[in-house]
Amino acid sequence: RRLVQGQRRHGCLRAMTETSVIGSGTTVRGHVRGDGALLVAGRVEGNIEMTGDITLAPGSAIKGNVMGS
């Protein structure tokens, strides 16, 4: 059985926006790159490069360069 992100309504699949999350209490040491948006609630020690928006939650920390659209 395949799992698909989205919501079924009247037989149609509505696509969800893809957002990655670095949760609070999590520390990433190294560069982060990806397609889509990123929510940072934890710590990143390295550069971040995303094709989408980058959102920083209160209490998050980044030690590096940040590039997003």
Side-chain angles (χ1 to χ4, degrees):
R1 188 172 181 197
R2 269 178 75 181
L3 297 177
V4 178
Q5 285 187 342
Q7 184 176 3
R8 285 200 178 274
R9 285 200 179 157
H10 307 291
C12 297
L13 185 66
R14 188 177 75 185
M16 293 174 59
T17 304
E18 194 170 324
T19 301
S20 298
V21 178
I22 297 173
S24 61
T26 301
T27 299
V28 175
R29 291 184 180 94
H31 302 303
V32 177
R33 278 191 203 132
D35 292 327
L38 176 67
L39 169 62
V40 180
R43 258 182 93 79
V44 177
E45 297 175 0
N47 298 332
I48 298 175
E49 186 178 343
M50 301 295 293
T51 59
D53 293 334
I54 300 169
T55 304
L56 305 179
S60 64
I62 298 175
K63 187 176 181 179
N65 297 315
V66 177
M67 292 182 290
S69 59

